[in-house]
Amino acid sequence: MLFLSRFFLSCDLQQPSISEMHSPDLLQYDKLIDKFDTLLFDCDGVLWRGNELIPGSKEFVEKVRKAGKQVIFVTNNASNSRNQYKAKFDKLGINVERDEIFGSAYASAVYLKYNLKFPADKKVFVVGMKGLEEELESEGIQYIGGTDPKYNTITPDIDFNAIKSGLDKDVGAVVAGFDVMLNYTKLSYAYSYLTSKEHDVKFILTNDDSTFPQSCGLFPGSGAMSSPLVVSSKRKPTVVGKPNAPMLECILKQKQLNPDRTLMIGDRLNTDISFGQHGNVKTLLVLSGVSTPEDIEKEGIYPDYIARSLKHIR
Ligand SMILES: C[C@H](OP(=O)(O)O)C(=O)O
Ligand SMILES: [Mg+2]
């Protein structure tokens, strides 16, 4: 803690003296990006909070592009598809190609198709939003649930028998992600599939982030929203998003990365920084999102670099 308090006492990322083991290497920030050919950007908490750009983020992405670097955007937020993120980037004035965007909804669809070899005649029961449905469709995977009104009724008069008798025998997986329409009916269907004695139903989470940053603060994230299924079904899901391997595998299927010349930039230690460390790339924690300096020693996760935000990297 000592070095961090000195660090912040010395204010904006000058050359503070550092003594402790494990301390992040607070190099002079000039020309940091010259060390890398590829920059992996987390989105929520790094580029934006909700729909509000974080000051300096757009300019930093432009600077990195001008320097001829490969940029890849890696988000655990499963509420949007790549198309929807492309539209968001466009609206926010950040020039991004669709194939530079890797969201946990897309990575989950890729994981089902290529890792699990999900049969074409099987269906996914979706606890999630349009973006997840779109990405399943993009990989030719059938689904039910999700935004279908039948599963989004909020009523105290639940017909439990209808749920149990109405299960679709073709469901072979439950995929749970961020879902603002989460409700007891949908959870009851998902639970019934996950605990079905008749069928082998895989359990996948797009991500398990505990919280979700908005400009006005934090809210429950996918990890919090899928915990009712984890607790009630007593099953251990496969989690696709950062820091887990399926997300990195999805990127490596399409992009060339030299780990020695790649930097992962994120705001959450236990997803973004761990993801970079698992991928043996350098990591930069920005303090514009979820994790705080105190979290570093509390979680024992030490980024290679720290910055207040992208704006502070010259
Ligand atoms: C869901 C969101 O994902 P990110 O874009 O930060 O990976 C977050 O929880 O911060
Ligand atoms: Mg983030």
Side-chain angles (χ1 to χ4, degrees):
M1 236 358 252
L2 193 55
F3 88 88
L4 278 168
S5 50
R6 263 213 307 283
F7 160 68
F8 283 98
L9 282 176
S10 68
C11 211
D12 269 345
L13 305 178
Q14 307 310 317
Q15 278 285 36
S17 65
I18 296 170
S19 52
E20 283 80 357
M21 272 286 287
H22 288 311
S23 52
D25 179 0
L26 295 173
L27 283 177
Q28 170 62 342
Y29 279 74
D30 278 332
K31 302 195 180 353
L32 177 69
I33 60 175
D34 290 355
K35 292 169 169 287
F36 303 101
D37 301 329
T38 299
L39 283 85
L40 298 164
F41 285 90
D42 170 42
C43 298
D44 291 293
V46 174
L47 302 177
W48 55 60
R49 287 183 288 260
N51 291 319
E52 277 184 38
L53 268 181
I54 292 171
S57 62
K58 174 171 175 289
E59 295 75 7
F60 184 81
V61 173
E62 286 165 355
K63 180 166 85 168
V64 165
R65 277 211 191 284
K66 260 198 211 97
K69 308 296 179 182
Q70 174 177 232
V71 294
I72 296 172
F73 300 90
V74 196
T75 175
N76 271 2
N77 187 329
S79 59
N80 288 330
S81 64
R82 288 160 296 164
N83 289 339
Q84 288 171 308
Y85 269 117
K86 166 73 179 140
K88 179 169 183 173
F89 276 110
D90 290 348
K91 196 165 166 212
L92 292 172
I94 304 179
N95 163 35
V96 171
E97 296 305 322
R98 179 178 180 269
D99 72 354
E100 294 174 321
I101 303 167
F102 290 81
S104 62
Y106 173 54
S108 298
V110 167
Y111 177 75
L112 273 161
K113 179 153 184 184
Y114 297 100
N115 299 57
L116 295 186
K117 308 270 189 283
F118 195 68
D121 61 349
K122 286 290 183 191
K123 296 170 189 168
V124 169
F125 184 81
V126 172
V127 179
M129 299 167 72
K130 188 82 198 100
L132 180 50
E133 292 174 335
E134 257 187 50
E135 295 295 13
L136 290 171
E137 279 163 29
S138 75
E139 295 300 328
I141 296 171
Q142 300 178 74
Y143 62 87
I144 60 171
T147 59
D148 177 342
K150 170 183 169 187
Y151 300 95
N152 288 290
T153 48
I154 309 274
T155 168
D157 309 319
I158 293 182
D159 182 344
F160 291 102
N161 293 316
I163 291 175
K164 287 298 186 198
S165 62
L167 298 182
D168 184 327
K169 63 174 180 38
D170 294 329
V171 167
V174 168
V175 177
F178 193 78
D179 186 350
V180 294
M181 294 297 285
L182 190 64
N183 64 78
Y184 193 77
T185 298
K186 202 183 285 187
L187 286 172
S188 298
Y189 273 100
Y191 170 83
S192 301
Y193 283 118
L194 289 171
T195 54
S196 159
K197 302 271 183 291
E198 291 79 47
H199 322 302
D200 169 28
V201 177
K202 306 289 184 212
F203 187 14
I204 293 161
L205 300 189
T206 59
N207 62 305
D208 58 1
D209 297 61
S210 55
T211 56
F212 179 51
Q214 291 290 331
S215 50
C216 55
L218 297 177
F219 291 87
S222 294
M225 301 169 96
S226 43
S227 54
L229 290 175
V230 175
V231 171
S232 58
S233 72
K234 295 187 174 57
R235 290 191 57 179
K236 189 173 175 355
T238 297
V239 185
V240 168
K242 299 170 289 183
N244 304 287
M247 177 64 98
L248 185 60
E249 286 164 12
C250 178
I251 296 170
L252 293 177
K253 274 188 181 33
Q254 298 175 40
K255 298 287 181 182
Q256 300 298 318
L257 297 185
N258 170 355
D260 298 333
R261 299 274 305 170
T262 299
L263 178 66
M264 173 70 208
I265 304 173
D267 69 296
R268 195 189 293 261
L269 287 161
N270 66 355
T271 55
D272 305 315
I273 305 306
S274 293
F275 177 71
Q277 291 172 346
H278 293 169
N280 296 315
V281 305
K282 290 288 185 224
T283 57
L284 163 64
L285 173 71
V286 287
L287 302 173
S288 48
V290 172
S291 291
T292 66
E294 294 70 28
D295 294 329
I296 293 175
E297 294 196 53
K298 208 189 301 176
E299 297 183 32
I301 299 173
Y302 295 87
D304 297 293
Y305 306 95
I306 303 180
R308 288 185 190 288
S309 75
L310 292 178
K311 187 170 70 170
H312 294 84
I313 304 167
R314 291 181 294 281

